[in-house]
Amino acid sequence: MPQLEYYPRLYVSESINREKLEKLKKDLASRPHKADVYLLALPENSSDQLSIYESKYLRQEYYDRHPLYVIGIAAEYPEAMGMVEQIAREAWAARGDARLREYLTAGMESADVEHGIENT
């Protein structure tokens, strides 16, 4: 089964039913063959900003050994691209640059502080 970790402030497209989001996450972890679900994730290499994965590719054994850090979930590829644009706009407004990885990483740290988790 794929190893999936989720961003504390997960981006979710409008066509994903938020009431069924937890069930969708469980389905992705146990049966990653769900069609038309796209995941935005931090890439493994440091030169890319974000990666978009169609959920059916999580069936590959590679993802059983290499955790995927999911930033967003979209029902369709155009929605996933829209999320990337949204994150880029947010990063530009907050930081004045388009370093999405750094922007999102800072969001992870601030979410930890909000939830009483300290990084040591």
Side-chain angles (χ1 to χ4, degrees), residues 10-119:
L10 186 68
Y11 290 84
V12 180
S13 71
E14 290 181 14
S15 54
I16 297 284
N17 184 339
R18 287 187 175 267
E19 294 174 0
K20 296 182 180 178
L21 183 59
E22 290 307 313
K23 181 182 181 322
L24 175 60
K25 287 179 182 180
K26 288 177 186 175
D27 286 349
L28 289 170
S30 61
R31 299 175 295 164
H33 57 276
K34 204 145 184 71
D36 294 327
V37 174
Y38 292 84
L39 305 176
L40 269 68
L42 292 179
E44 288 185 17
N45 65 53
S46 60
S47 62
D48 292 337
Q49 295 285 329
L50 284 174
S51 295
I52 299 175
Y53 298 88
E54 190 170 0
S55 64
K56 68 182 179 182
Y57 292 108
L58 297 177
R59 289 183 280 187
Q60 299 174 20
E61 288 182 20
Y62 175 84
Y63 298 106
D64 294 347
R65 298 182 308 277
H66 297 89
L68 198 61
Y69 195 83
V70 180
I71 299 297
I73 300 176
E76 299 175 359
Y77 186 79
E79 288 181 334
M81 292 300 298
M83 272 191 226
V84 172
E85 291 175 16
Q86 174 187 349
I87 294 167
R89 282 192 302 273
E90 289 174 9
W92 185 262
R95 300 172 43 95
D97 62 34
R99 289 185 243 162
L100 306 184
R101 180 188 290 268
E102 292 176 17
Y103 170 71
L104 293 166
T105 302
M108 290 185 299
E109 292 168 2
S110 66
D112 287 346
V113 170
E114 290 173 9
H115 291 95
I117 302 168
E118 293 185 30
N119 294 333

